[in-house]
Amino acid sequence: MDAIRMEHGAGGAAMQRLIKERIVRRLGGSGAEVPLEAMDDSAVVNGIVLKSDSYTVKPIFFPGGDIGRLSVSGTVNDIAVMGGKPLALASGFIIEEGFPLSDFDRIVESMAETCSEAGVFVVTGDTKVVERGGIDGIAINMSGMGIRSPALDSNLAEVRRRRALSSEWLLDSNLEDGDVILVSGTVGDHGIAIISCREGYGFESGISSDVAPLNGLIASLLEVGGIVSMKDPTRGGLSNALNEWSQKSGVGIMIHGDKIPIREEVRAACEMLGIDPLDVGNEGKLVIGVVAEKAEEVLEELRRHELGKDAEMIGQATKRYEGVVMRTEVGGLRALPPPIGDPIPRIC
Ligand code: MG
């Protein structure tokens, strides 16, 4: 029998196909400013940025965070990377009968702390309880809305001083030959933090999740200007984010492997697990496409912030190649295809 498999929710090529062929085909056609068909981080309807995300992370408490912090950060980040200023959130809880109230309180308190860090409020929501076994502990849906970030227009004006750009938002399809690619810090931390505390693995990585709301950092980057595209490389990691950009923008991307910041502990854990750190999800990182003339300035601004202090310039969009290619540390060139799915399931 044909059925849903774990990889259908793992943020890679299998999930993209499921969404495109079975969801967008049936539910698309809204004609929104940024519609479902764009399959971008958020939609835009009448100038309102709209996002919905569900969180099923296992375990719910992990080094550096928990499902509550994750739910606020993930939704806020998807609104902010479009050039939106997140304003309000809607939280939907689905809870299993028998779930400890002390754990529930811990989660909601963590949500409150993260909301105040991000400058947003939960303004509506829903609470459902299902019988024992009906769900694995707790799942949270977090939806959110935002308005156009005040600095988005001046940012786009900086782009248009150098080249044409028709979009009014920071879309995955905005990249062009010559744009420089930045990453805001080390990749793979979140996925490795999750798996290292998961039952059955139990290895000590010493790695904490990077989960954090990035809207403050993004607002100050937009002040610098020249940013054409932004994405949070969550499930499927950096390689999935870059491949989505390349496909939607119709331009190649060339990445320098030795420039990608990866913690030694993450590298070691990935080697042990036989997975690529570039396929592993992040929850507090950004990939940024910026016009070449502004790349140094945006990089400097990133490094001024705690959340961007390990930022690097990792590559460039180029029409010389198709898809994503990586210059390896020994100088060879290899294709960097999108992963079928994130190698670590249920990380968010
Ligand atoms: Mg996203």
Side-chain angles (χ1 to χ4, degrees):
M1 185 184 64
D2 226 12
I4 293 284
R5 297 184 302 276
M6 287 304 286
E7 67 189 36
H8 283 128
M15 188 176 92
Q16 295 282 333
R17 208 161 40 243
L18 178 85
I19 295 172
K20 203 180 251 174
E21 291 168 10
R22 295 177 182 267
I23 301 177
V24 176
R25 192 169 64 78
R26 296 181 173 109
L27 299 182
S30 67
E33 201 175 337
V34 179
L36 186 62
E37 288 84 341
M39 291 173 66
D40 215 307
D41 297 279
S42 291
V44 181
V45 187
N46 287 351
I48 302 290
V49 186
L50 181 65
K51 175 64 188 175
S52 185
D53 226 328
S54 295
Y55 299 87
T56 59
V57 64
K58 186 181 184 172
I60 53 178
F61 301 105
F62 49 84
D66 56 76
I67 191 171
R69 181 170 177 79
L70 190 60
S71 66
V72 173
S73 303
T75 300
V76 157
N77 292 346
D78 273 337
I79 292 170
V81 295
M82 296 294 286
K85 175 184 160 64
L87 283 188
L89 301 176
S91 63
F93 297 100
I94 305 171
I95 316 164
E96 184 186 16
E97 173 191 20
F99 189 78
L101 269 174
S102 56
D103 283 356
F104 186 66
D105 288 343
R106 233 178 115 187
I107 291 167
V108 180
E109 263 154 37
S110 174
M111 284 168 62
E113 271 168 38
T114 316
C115 277
S116 90
E117 209 176 313
V120 296
F121 284 92
V122 171
V123 294
T124 185
D126 177 53
T127 308
K128 297 274 158 60
V129 177
V130 296
E131 72 288 358
R132 235 173 255 274
I135 192 172
D136 186 6
I138 187 168
I140 301 175
N141 174 272
M142 189 67 83
S143 301
M145 58 82 67
I147 52 171
R148 195 171 180 81
S149 170
L152 183 57
D153 287 328
S154 62
N155 169 80
L156 295 178
E158 281 293 334
V159 175
R160 290 180 182 130
R161 224 160 269 154
R162 277 94 189 171
R163 67 142 160 113
L165 177 66
S166 57
S167 174
E168 291 298 326
W169 299 91
L170 305 179
L171 304 185
D172 291 346
S173 53
N174 286 354
L175 226 55
E176 246 182 49
D177 180 62
D179 291 339
V180 168
I181 313 290
L182 311 176
V183 66
S184 66
T186 54
V187 300
D189 300 6
H190 177 71
I192 294 304
I194 294 284
I195 202 168
S196 66
C197 66
R198 197 173 278 171
E199 238 175 290
Y201 290 91
F203 64 93
E204 277 294 315
S205 72
I207 287 288
S208 279
S209 166
D210 56 358
V211 57
L214 298 167
N215 54 323
L217 172 64
I218 292 171
S220 59
L221 298 177
L222 292 178
E223 299 277 348
V224 176
I227 294 166
V228 298
S229 217
M230 228 187 293
K231 207 165 183 62
D232 52 339
T234 52
R235 284 170 298 172
L238 185 64
S239 54
N240 191 68
L242 293 173
N243 273 281
E244 271 194 57
W245 270 2
S246 171
Q247 280 166 23
K248 293 182 196 171
S249 295
V251 68
I253 296 177
M254 154 73 127
I255 294 297
H256 296 277
D258 59 346
K259 295 277 191 243
I260 301 169
I262 304 171
R263 287 183 206 281
E264 232 6 272
E265 303 92 316
V266 169
R267 218 183 267 281
C270 285
E271 213 156 284
M272 196 182 82
L273 297 164
I275 59 180
D276 187 337
L278 304 188
D279 295 348
V280 175
N282 311 273
E283 291 292 342
K285 295 290 152 47
L286 295 170
V287 238
I288 300 160
V290 53
V291 288
E293 297 87 343
K294 297 292 282 183
E296 275 295 343
E297 265 180 83
V298 173
L299 181 63
E300 274 169 34
E301 184 60 30
L302 271 166
R303 287 178 174 166
R304 264 195 279 277
H305 291 256
E306 182 57 29
L307 293 170
K309 62 180 185 335
D310 299 320
E312 291 288 346
M313 198 175 285
I314 60 167
Q316 200 158 24
T318 169
K319 56 186 179 196
R320 269 190 300 153
Y321 298 103
E322 249 175 62
V324 184
V325 293
M326 185 163 84
R327 172 86 55 200
T328 63
E329 279 152 52
V330 291
L333 211 55
R334 76 164 173 96
L336 189 69
I340 297 295
D342 193 293
I344 307 169
R346 284 183 67 179
I347 59 162
C348 59

